[in-house]
């Protein structure tokens, strides 16, 4: 089942340039910065009450986020829904005719298992399912 909005992903060209708005103006606590090699991203998580904001800086032109920024500019990238039993959720969506970008979860930021729904199946919103087994933030 879907438990909550786990985080909202925001594409930025540079974490260094984007972070002061969040940490100094909005005064959101920075939970950490990590590199997600497989996605060619540097990711910063900020705590926003019960949910989080995930700033995504591409580390290579090959990154899907780099292509997103090239096409649409910086800004809202995806909405992540926290789920349990992610593989079951993926199977369930596929049974309902929803296109998934992954047939099985991959490891994303923070060691979470993630899978994305195809925006063509969701009214143009990129939704991520994410499940953190025993690593609740
Ligand atoms: Zn995300």
């Amino acid at each position: 089942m879907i438990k909550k909005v786990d985080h909202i992903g925001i594409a930025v060209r540079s974490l260094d340039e984007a972070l002061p708005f969040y940490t100094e103006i909005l005064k959101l606590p920075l939970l950490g910065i990590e590199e997600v090699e497989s996605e060619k991203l540097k990711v910063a998580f900020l705590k926003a009450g019960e949910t989080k904001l995930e700033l995504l800086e591409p580390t290579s032109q090959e990154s899907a986020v780099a292509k997103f920024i090239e096409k649409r500019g910086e800004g809202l990238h995806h909405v992540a829904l926290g789920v349990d039993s992610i593989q079951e959720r993926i199977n369930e969506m596929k049974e309902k005719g929803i296109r998934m970008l992954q047939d099985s979860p991959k490891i994303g930021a923070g060691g979470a298992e993630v899978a994305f729904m195809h925006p063509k199946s969701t009214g143009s919103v990129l939704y991520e399912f994410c499940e953190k087994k025993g690593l609740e933030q």
Side-chain angles (χ1 to χ4, degrees), residues 1-2 81 83-107 113-118 127-131 133:
M1 83 180 201
I2 292 170
L81 302 170
V83 300
D84 55 13
S85 312
I86 189 166
Q87 185 65 62
E88 281 175 39
R89 298 290 81 72
I90 293 169
N91 298 345
E92 187 189 334
M93 290 304 120
K94 288 169 67 184
E95 278 162 24
K96 291 177 178 170
I98 302 294
R99 280 170 70 189
M100 298 294 300
L101 296 179
Q102 288 81 33
D103 289 330
S104 57
K106 56 182 184 172
I107 302 299
E113 292 186 52
V114 305
F116 288 86
M117 300 167 88
H118 197 294
Y127 282 109
E128 172 189 329
F129 284 158
C130 76
E131 180 176 18
K133 289 179 177 132

Side-chain angles (χ1 to χ4, degrees), residues 7-9 45 54 56 78 80 114 116 128:
H7 63 267
I8 293 172
F45 275 103
E54 176 188 48
L56 309 154
H78 66 271
V114 305
F116 288 86
E128 172 189 329

Side-chain angles (χ1 to χ4, degrees), residues 13-67:
R13 287 199 172 86
S14 155
L15 286 182
D16 287 343
E17 282 171 31
L19 271 173
F21 170 73
Y22 293 93
T23 57
E24 289 165 29
I25 299 189
L26 297 180
K27 300 205 181 304
L28 300 178
L30 179 63
L31 296 169
I33 296 179
E34 72 173 285
E35 229 172 296
V36 183
E37 200 65 55
S38 56
E39 300 297 314
K40 300 188 174 69
L41 287 177
K42 207 157 91 181
V43 173
F45 275 103
L46 297 133
K47 185 174 161 63
E50 294 190 356
T51 188
K52 291 176 292 259
L53 301 179
E54 176 188 48
L55 305 187
L56 309 154
E57 177 198 296
T59 55
S60 153
Q61 284 311 310
E62 299 304 301
S63 162
V65 173
K67 289 172 187 152

